[in-house]
Amino acid sequence: QKRERTLAHAHGTVADTCSFMNMYPRQYVVYETATPPKIDGNLDEHLWQDTAWSEPFVDIRGYDYKPPPRFKTQVKMRWNAHFLFIAAYLEEPEIWANITEHDQVIF
């Protein structure tokens, strides 16, 4: 079964069915921000509240690959003249660590 979406033409009067939409890369519009977010892991700021989540990530091999990812991953992004800001939601039930000191070497 192919994924199909309806694409409206510029004037909104003619619509075509696009049978190759599953091969077309997803798009996400990233808006500029005049005020950079506070980098603290908290997404309660208006900057992030006014930013849409991306669609859930899919397998790199494509939309039709089965099974779908077990855990949900999505991002929100904003930018300014100096940085790209990325907020991420990653589901993972088994998070653990054995590093206890700040800046401890990982390898």
Side-chain angles (χ1 to χ4, degrees), residues 15-75:
D16 293 335
T17 299
C18 180
S19 62
F20 61 86
M21 187 59 89
N22 64 335
M23 295 181 284
Y24 193 75
R26 298 281 172 103
Q27 297 180 18
Y28 178 83
V29 177
V30 181
Y31 295 98
E32 184 176 16
T33 180
T35 306
K38 184 175 181 183
I39 309 298
D40 61 0
N42 188 345
L43 303 182
D44 291 340
E45 293 178 69
H46 288 293
L47 167 83
W48 293 124
Q49 293 296 313
D50 295 340
T51 304
W53 285 105
S54 68
E55 292 184 34
F57 285 27
V58 296
D59 192 282
I60 196 168
R61 291 175 277 189
Y63 307 108
D64 296 329
Y65 180 76
K66 304 292 183 215
R70 286 179 42 204
F71 304 112
K72 187 175 180 180
T73 301
Q74 292 179 279
V75 296

Side-chain angles (χ1 to χ4, degrees), residues 4-5 9 17 19 21-22 31 33 35 42 52 71 74 78 80-81 83-85 89 92 97 103 105 107:
E4 293 188 0
R5 296 204 179 171
H9 287 263
T17 299
S19 62
M21 187 59 89
N22 64 335
Y31 295 98
T33 180
T35 306
N42 188 345
F71 304 112
Q74 292 179 279
R78 297 296 290 259
N80 68 16
F83 301 102
L84 173 65
F85 304 102
Y89 173 80
E92 176 54 61
D103 293 334
V105 177
F107 59 92

